[in-house]
Amino acid sequence: MDNLIPVINKLQDVFTTVGAEAIQLPQIAVVGSQSSGKSSVLENIVGKDFLPRGHGIVTRRPLILQLVHRKPGSPRPALPDDPSSSGGHTDDGIDGEDVEEWGEFLHAPGKRFISFAEIRKEIEAETDRVTGSNKGISSKPINLRIYSPNVLNLTLVDLPGITKVPVGDQPEDIEKQIRTLVRSYISNPNCIILAVTPANVDLANSDALKLAKTIDPEGNRTIGVCTKIDLMDAGTDAMDILSGRVVPVKLGFIGVVNRSQADINTAKPIADSLKSEEQFFKSHPAYQAIAHRCGTAYLSKALNKLLMHHIRDCLPDLKTRINAHMAEAQQAYNAYGEPLMDKFNKGSLMLQIITKFCSNYCGAIEGTSRDIQTNELTGGARICYIFHETFGRTLENVDPLEGLTIGDIRTAIRNATGPRPALFVPEVSFELLVKRQIRRMEEPALRCVELVFEELLRITQQCETPELLRFQNLRDHISETVTTLLRNRLPAANVMIENLVAIELAYINTNHPDFTTGSQAVSSIMDNQPSNKNRHSYHPSMSSGNSSLEVPNGRARGNSFGSSNGVDGMLAESGDIITTNGSRPGASRSTSMTMGANGVPLPLQAASVSNAGQSAPAPLSASLPPQNSASSGGLFGGLFGFRPNKPKEDGNTELAEAAHDVAARSGSVRAGNGFASSSGAAGGENPYATGRLTTSSSSPAHFDDLMLDHLPTHLREDRRALTSREQMETELIQTLIINYFKIVRKNIQDTVPKAIMHFLVNWIKEHIQSELVSQLYREDLFETMLEESVHIAVKRKQAAEMLSALKRAAKVLVEIRADANVV
């Protein structure tokens, strides 16, 4: 076990140069407040006076003190810079001298200090070199190795003393800096805390024990040292402290007696001081029973034994950590690679980098990448989210009638009829309005293309390999090339999306299997009206061949009325008009309508006066179209007739939903059960009149008195209430727009992602490697593309040094023989 401490000393030397704190080597850290006697304890252990002394804070950098026991007369080890020396080496300073003790600093390789006064001066000079002369502190350690036959193998870390009040030009937060530095060492789970506390101070006020307790609350790796026992007041002793009754720590307390200031001033040898210490404990009545467990000699042996056992316990885990760090350092070094010399190697390396990047890029899109994220969506998963969540839900939330008012629909219907009043609902108005709503889906579709384009650019940044980080110019050119390729494909994708919408606008397929018929729309509207049982329906969409019926007085009868039970345009065999509830006017209702001379339905009273004295009308059944004949009026020509294709059953459900939606939107109520008559006798004002005839109430009208109002600049159809006919026409248009909009929305939701995949995603996957090779793999670009940045060269050097240190550390551990007591 004696060779364990030298092994740790070698590891400390190895890792001090590269600063591998993560290795967490076993060590003993000396912690104490300022002037608690830390330096005296260390000097007693070494047996030499070599540490700086003075007022205020003296130890301002951690001092890693490695004590190496050597037998008297044994050859001196070779200096670090003289590997050819096989022992017995003597340098210029000690030629011909029988020197048994000397010191070596890691920052001064090849130089031995035989004078411990010179060692003190070197410590002071090295401290001032890093921290300056303003009493500041630094975490950079000083490594000192002392060879002597009077020491045991031991490694100690002397830390700055804890102070509270800054002195001189020390920074105001000096206490915080010192505590942070001390914590960084004792937080190592493999570090033994040597807490130094003076016996003439209340133990409850010990800064060292307080700090140790915060890091090691159980006290498993804390050992206490009680100094200045000889300075306690008369009649008092430290037995309660040394026995662990005041502050219990598992490793116990050890009492020591240091040199007094008078002894230091008179340069009393430490050997004499150690004899005086031994005599003190043996002669003191309170400590005679435990004298063999007190003193500096016992402390050195206890620390040596404790450190060796601690190293033995930590050694297996230490080997594991060194191997793990060596693998990481090797991987980091491989990422930076070897410096490139010839063009052949550069060309081969560029092809490898491009191929690896393209493979990672395609893998990220397809979801076959090795490094799959678990905390967020990446790559192709984000594109899928754009298609089905962002774009799909946006279209689902689009209101088919948004921005379309009742006045817009009325105006479109009137404009589509031209100068003549409408006998039918014009199909042009439906196409005009539904195209306007379909065009609203173009903007979300184009935005979907932009989102996928941005995601493909984002994947470029996510697929960077360690080799690309090494060559910044190549990384920038690859990113620029991929961005250019995607931007060149963006117009084609946008044109395709615009064409998809234009295709839907080019032909309004009213014969679509999922689209409803005009008669179904009217039937659904009537079913959703709460007052349809008390209203006659007037449907101005009979085919041109059956739009008028001859009556005995020579006037044309008006258009027939449809029924809500699905039998459109059918009349009773007796020539009576069938009402909306399917009954004849004379059978069960007294409010049946008769057509006036101008084709407008009249109320019953007006109809009676109009038909008085005339013979009964001839039977109308002969002039009706056959039940199975098809209407020839298009979408609205078949409104009350028959369509050749029987609608699907599920179409009625969608139609009912659309009609119910329209009925819910409608905020106006139809006025009356019939339409207003255009004649004054019927009691209604002509709804289409744009001027008013002004006459005197007491005399007949003269031609000179006729005046017409001026037309306004802008005419709209939302200035008056809807008539029953206009209400039905408006709801009919709304129902058909909703139904057809849903059909187109399904098409857009399906075709837009397919177009984007074809024009952007799949294209870039197929062409990215060939495009990168054709544009970047040129011999004249090798030097520019594969030029390393300065910081990459620095990182390669650091990685090489770390890898070399870890390899040396692994070699040191291998040198330990497989001893059962060690492992």
Side-chain angles (χ1 to χ4, degrees):
M1 289 179 58
D2 292 339
N3 62 342
L4 291 181
I5 295 179
V7 166
I8 297 300
N9 292 341
K10 291 181 181 179
L11 294 180
Q12 283 179 335
D13 292 344
V14 167
F15 291 118
T16 298
T17 58
V18 296
E21 294 83 1
I23 301 299
Q24 297 179 342
L25 296 174
Q27 58 191 5
I28 299 176
V30 184
V31 182
S33 60
Q34 186 174 313
S35 301
S36 61
K38 296 188 296 79
S39 299
S40 297
V41 171
L42 294 179
E43 288 181 339
N44 287 347
I45 292 176
V46 176
K48 295 292 182 179
D49 188 1
F50 68 98
L51 292 176
R53 291 184 178 274
H55 297 286
I57 182 171
V58 178
T59 305
R60 294 183 287 134
R61 289 178 59 183
L63 176 64
I64 300 178
L65 181 60
Q66 301 172 352
L67 304 180
V68 180
H69 174 76
R70 62 184 302 269
K71 296 179 180 181
S74 62
R76 291 188 295 272
L79 290 171
D81 61 345
D82 188 14
S84 62
S85 176
S86 60
H89 171 78
T90 59
D91 56 21
D92 295 339
I94 56 177
D95 281 342
E97 297 182 9
D98 188 14
V99 178
E100 299 293 340
E101 298 176 313
W102 71 89
E104 297 175 0
F105 286 95
L106 189 63
H107 63 268
K111 186 176 182 180
R112 286 173 175 163
F113 296 82
I114 59 174
S115 173
F116 283 84
E118 293 294 329
I119 292 178
R120 179 189 298 112
K121 292 181 180 179
E122 182 65 22
I123 293 175
E124 293 174 349
E126 181 65 14
T127 300
D128 292 340
R129 186 182 65 84
V130 175
T131 63
S133 58
N134 63 345
K135 301 297 183 180
I137 65 171
S138 172
S139 60
K140 186 176 182 180
I142 299 175
N143 285 63
L144 172 62
R145 179 175 297 176
I146 294 179
Y147 295 86
S148 173
N150 303 318
V151 300
L152 297 176
N153 291 330
L154 199 61
T155 301
L156 302 168
V157 181
D158 185 19
L159 298 173
I162 301 173
T163 185
K164 296 183 179 297
V165 180
V167 296
D169 53 356
Q170 287 182 344
E172 294 295 330
D173 61 340
I174 186 65
E175 180 185 3
K176 181 180 179 181
Q177 292 183 21
I178 294 176
R179 289 183 179 271
T180 303
L181 175 61
V182 172
R183 283 176 179 270
S184 65
Y185 276 86
I186 65 177
S187 297
N188 176 7
N190 296 329
C191 176
I192 297 175
I193 305 173
L194 183 64
V196 179
T197 303
N200 57 352
V201 177
D202 190 354
L203 209 62
N205 297 326
S206 173
D207 293 327
L209 290 176
K210 179 182 178 181
L211 194 58
K213 194 171 183 63
T214 59
I215 303 299
D216 182 29
E218 301 296 329
N220 295 326
R221 52 188 181 92
T222 300
I223 181 172
V225 175
C226 192
T227 63
K228 302 181 180 181
I229 293 180
D230 56 328
L231 301 180
M232 296 183 68
D233 295 338
T236 61
D237 56 59
M239 285 301 298
D240 290 341
I241 298 175
L242 298 178
S243 61
R245 289 192 291 267
V246 179
V247 178
V249 290
K250 292 187 177 180
L251 299 181
F253 276 88
I254 299 176
V256 297
V257 175
N258 298 330
R259 290 185 301 167
S260 64
Q261 188 61 40
D263 294 338
I264 296 174
N265 294 335
T266 59
K268 182 179 180 180
I270 293 181
D272 296 342
S273 298
L274 294 178
K275 292 179 181 179
S276 299
E277 178 191 38
E278 183 180 1
Q279 186 63 30
F280 171 80
F281 284 110
K282 289 182 178 180
S283 61
H284 197 285
Y287 308 121
Q288 288 179 352
I290 60 171
H292 64 284
R293 292 191 288 110
C294 295
T296 303
Y298 177 78
L299 176 63
S300 299
K301 294 178 181 179
L303 293 178
N304 174 263
K305 184 177 180 180
L306 182 64
L307 182 59
M308 285 193 298
H309 283 83
H310 189 61
I311 294 173
R312 183 192 62 184
D313 297 336
C314 298
L315 197 58
D317 184 59
L318 181 62
K319 291 180 179 179
T320 302
R321 286 200 305 272
I322 289 178
N323 291 333
H325 283 283
M326 187 163 57
E328 294 176 1
Q330 184 69 51
Q331 184 178 2
Y333 181 78
N334 293 339
Y336 298 121
E338 297 288 344
L340 300 176
M341 298 301 178
D342 52 24
K343 293 184 178 180
F344 175 78
N345 291 336
K346 292 182 178 180
S348 176
L349 178 61
M350 180 174 287
L351 281 179
Q352 292 177 5
I353 294 175
I354 292 176
T355 302
K356 188 174 182 180
F357 171 80
C358 296
S359 177
N360 293 344
Y361 190 87
C362 296
I365 295 177
E366 295 294 337
T368 58
S369 177
R370 294 181 179 179
D371 301 329
I372 296 180
Q373 298 288 338
T374 57
N375 56 347
E376 64 173 347
L377 296 179
T378 58
R382 292 177 64 91
I383 296 177
C384 179
Y385 184 89
I386 293 173
F387 286 156
H388 302 290
E389 298 295 331
T390 305
F391 176 65
R393 290 192 176 183
T394 299
L395 289 189
E396 289 293 338
N397 295 330
V398 173
D399 186 359
L401 299 178
E402 182 179 355
L404 193 62
T405 64
I406 300 296
D408 295 338
I409 298 177
R410 292 170 60 187
T411 303
I413 294 175
R414 292 295 302 274
N415 286 338
T417 59
R420 293 172 298 279
L423 296 177
F424 316 107
V425 180
E427 293 186 33
V428 177
S429 61
F430 164 73
E431 292 192 6
L432 174 67
L433 296 174
V434 79
K435 286 180 180 180
R436 170 180 167 181
Q437 300 305 102
I438 292 173
R439 195 172 286 109
R440 295 169 52 215
M441 288 187 280
E442 182 176 351
E443 183 177 353
L446 293 176
R447 178 56 183 160
C448 182
V449 178
E450 295 179 3
L451 292 177
V452 175
F453 169 77
E454 294 172 359
E455 189 57 38
L456 292 175
L457 291 181
R458 184 181 181 187
I459 296 175
T460 304
Q461 307 298 327
Q462 296 174 348
C463 295
E464 293 180 350
T465 60
E467 292 79 7
L468 283 180
L469 298 177
R470 176 184 175 187
F471 305 108
Q472 186 66 31
N473 292 337
L474 179 59
R475 172 178 174 270
D476 295 340
H477 279 76
I478 288 179
S479 178
E480 181 180 354
T481 303
V482 175
T483 302
T484 303
L485 293 176
L486 290 173
R487 289 192 182 279
N488 292 339
R489 295 297 300 173
L490 195 59
N494 288 333
V495 170
M496 184 61 193
I497 299 302
E498 294 172 355
N499 287 338
L500 290 177
V501 178
I503 289 171
E504 297 293 342
L505 296 174
Y507 181 63
I508 305 301
N509 184 16
T510 58
N511 199 33
H512 193 279
D514 297 333
F515 186 61
T516 184
T517 62
S519 58
Q520 287 178 307
V522 174
S523 176
S524 298
I525 292 174
M526 299 304 298
D527 291 341
N528 284 277
Q529 296 299 327
S531 59
N532 61 356
K533 294 183 179 180
N534 299 322
R535 183 188 304 119
H536 297 286
S537 299
Y538 174 70
H539 304 289
S541 58
M542 281 293 293
S543 61
S544 59
N546 302 299
S547 59
S548 63
L549 301 176
E550 293 296 332
V551 294
N553 60 359
R555 295 186 177 184
R557 295 291 300 268
N559 296 341
S560 60
F561 298 86
S563 60
S564 60
N565 59 4
V567 183
D568 300 328
M570 295 299 296
L571 302 180
E573 294 181 358
S574 60
D576 295 336
I577 300 172
I578 297 179
T579 60
T580 57
N581 60 359
S583 61
R584 293 179 175 84
S588 61
R589 298 173 61 95
S590 60
T591 58
S592 59
M593 292 185 176
T594 305
M595 305 308 296
N598 56 356
V600 178
L602 300 177
L604 180 60
Q605 294 83 355
S608 300
V609 175
S610 175
N611 294 331
Q614 299 180 5
S615 59
L620 303 180
S621 59
S623 61
L624 291 175
Q627 184 173 355
N628 295 329
S629 64
S631 172
S632 60
L635 170 64
F636 294 103
L639 190 60
F640 302 103
F642 298 90
R643 295 188 64 173
N645 296 331
K646 183 178 179 180
K648 297 166 59 177
E649 294 181 0
D650 56 352
N652 295 332
T653 304
E654 294 184 2
L655 178 60
E657 294 176 355
H660 184 272
D661 187 16
V662 172
R665 294 170 182 271
S666 178
S668 60
V669 181
R670 294 190 179 95
N673 292 330
F675 294 93
S677 173
S678 61
S679 63
E685 184 180 358
N686 189 351
Y688 303 103
T690 59
R692 179 172 297 175
L693 181 64
T694 59
T695 60
S696 174
S697 59
S698 59
S699 61
H702 297 283
F703 182 78
D704 295 336
D705 296 331
L706 296 177
M707 297 292 294
L708 296 178
D709 293 338
H710 291 286
L711 288 176
T713 304
H714 300 285
L715 284 176
R716 283 187 60 84
E717 279 293 301
D718 54 0
R719 298 185 178 183
R720 56 178 176 78
L722 292 175
T723 64
S724 298
R725 171 177 172 174
E726 290 172 338
Q727 178 74 19
M728 177 174 292
E729 292 174 347
T730 301
E731 293 184 4
L732 176 62
I733 292 294
Q734 289 178 329
T735 302
L736 296 177
I737 288 176
I738 292 175
N739 185 262
Y740 196 82
F741 185 88
K742 292 181 179 179
I743 295 174
V744 176
R745 179 165 58 190
K746 291 180 180 179
N747 295 340
I748 295 297
Q749 285 177 326
D750 179 63
T751 55
V752 167
K754 294 178 179 179
I756 295 175
M757 289 295 297
H758 175 72
F759 283 91
L760 275 182
V761 182
N762 292 341
W763 189 93
I764 195 66
K765 288 195 309 180
E766 296 173 359
H767 297 83
I768 182 172
Q769 184 166 357
S770 59
E771 293 290 338
L772 288 177
V773 171
S774 62
Q775 296 188 30
L776 301 181
Y777 187 73
R778 302 205 309 264
E779 187 173 347
D780 57 327
L781 296 178
F782 287 170
E783 292 292 336
T784 304
M785 295 294 164
L786 299 180
E787 181 181 359
E788 290 183 340
S789 60
V790 177
H791 73 278
I792 292 297
V794 173
K795 288 184 177 180
R796 182 196 294 110
K797 182 180 179 182
Q798 294 175 350
E801 291 176 352
M802 176 61 71
L803 182 60
S804 176
L806 290 169
K807 288 182 178 179
R808 292 200 307 270
K811 185 178 180 181
V812 169
L813 294 178
V814 170
E815 293 175 357
I816 302 176
R817 293 181 174 84
D819 190 350
N821 295 327
V822 175
V823 181

